[in-house]
Amino acid sequence: MQYIQKLSFVSLVIISLAVSFLAHANAPKEIFWEDLIPQGHVQIDTQDQASHEGSEQNWVQPDLDAPVVKELDGQSVSLPGFVVPLEGDSEVITEFLLVPYFGACIHVPPPPPNQIVHVTIKGGVPIESLYDAIVVTGIISTETWSGDIAQVGYKIKAIGVAPFEL
């Protein structure tokens, strides 16, 4: 009888460790905007150069050949940022650009393509305020996308969107 109890206990420990490992293995990798820039690539900083004054040159998207991090392709990730809506209605948005700072692509020139993520989310998600940062969770790809606003270096098929909290 004692042998069966020990075997049951050991089995439960192994099962709970396996479940814990699988849950951790499937957890999205938390990434940030600098993680989208390949190591060694010198990135152009457009946030500081943004200006509402002067020539239209200020509104041209820079560094259209900015490289992406191929190793991220197909990974489950979470990435904070700001929303530039593309598709949806007054209730929910189903397609948007995720950008590293407020106003990118709307009030200031777009950042390089490797600093913009095209996001789609089945069924849509309500966005309370474009001024507030969010966190998008989903599968990232290094697939490009191009629209009227900007050229994009990454796409995410989102499974969740939440407010960003420090």
Side-chain angles (χ1 to χ4, degrees), residues 81-85 101-103 106-107 127-134:
F82 292 88
V83 171
V84 177
Y101 50 90
F102 175 75
I106 297 176
H107 301 296
I127 299 294
E128 297 295 322
S129 171
L130 299 180
Y131 294 100
D132 297 332
I134 61 166

Side-chain angles (χ1 to χ4, degrees), residues 82-86 93 95-99 103-106 130 149:
F82 292 88
V83 171
V84 177
L86 296 174
I93 60 173
E95 182 181 359
F96 58 94
L97 299 180
L98 189 68
V99 294
C105 302
I106 297 176
L130 299 180
I149 296 175

Side-chain angles (χ1 to χ4, degrees), residues 31 36 68-77 79 113-114 116-120 137-145 152-158:
I31 62 171
L36 301 179
V68 296
V69 178
K70 301 274 187 209
E71 294 79 19
L72 288 173
D73 196 45
Q75 288 193 25
S76 176
V77 300
L79 176 67
N114 65 3
I116 306 174
V117 179
H118 178 254
V119 179
T120 54
T137 301
I139 305 299
I140 194 167
S141 72
T142 54
E143 183 180 347
T144 60
W145 179 88
V152 173
Y154 295 95
K155 292 178 97 173
I156 289 182
K157 288 189 181 188

